[in-house]
Amino acid sequence: MLEKIIAILSEYTVVDPEKITEKTNFKNDLALDSLQLINLAGAVEEEFNITLSDRDAMNLRTVGDVIRFVEMQEQ
């Protein structure tokens, strides 16, 4: 799952994918703005066939947060 999320992130950032970990913060480490975060949320929804509310999306701050959210939705 981490690899899929890194692949999605590579569309929104110039950060070397090798440096992205579960602890990577979207704003602090990747400098993603609000529009990029919205687009990222949409890409995650599409890739994993889940629904991500605006409220949930605002609480996702790291790659690990996304992984945990997706895992919870798949159960």
Side-chain angles (χ1 to χ4, degrees):
M1 184 177 312
L2 177 61
E3 294 80 19
K4 286 184 180 182
I5 294 171
I6 290 172
I8 293 168
L9 283 170
S10 68
E11 297 178 29
Y12 301 98
T13 184
V14 295
V15 172
D16 181 359
E18 302 267 328
K19 295 184 178 185
I20 298 175
T21 69
E22 288 190 31
K23 294 181 180 181
T24 301
N25 184 286
F26 299 127
K27 289 185 180 183
N28 298 335
D29 300 324
L30 302 179
L32 298 183
D33 62 27
S34 298
L35 180 58
Q36 289 169 313
L37 290 171
I38 290 169
N39 290 334
L40 173 63
V44 168
E45 284 181 315
E46 186 174 317
E47 176 67 32
F48 296 102
N49 196 29
I50 61 170
T51 301
L52 184 60
S53 72
D54 291 342
R55 172 187 257 177
D56 289 331
M58 296 301 291
N59 290 323
L60 301 176
R61 293 183 173 87
T62 68
V63 173
D65 291 343
V66 173
I67 291 171
R68 285 185 290 281
F69 181 84
V70 171
E71 287 173 343
M72 285 177 29
Q73 297 302 306
E74 290 180 338
Q75 293 180 351

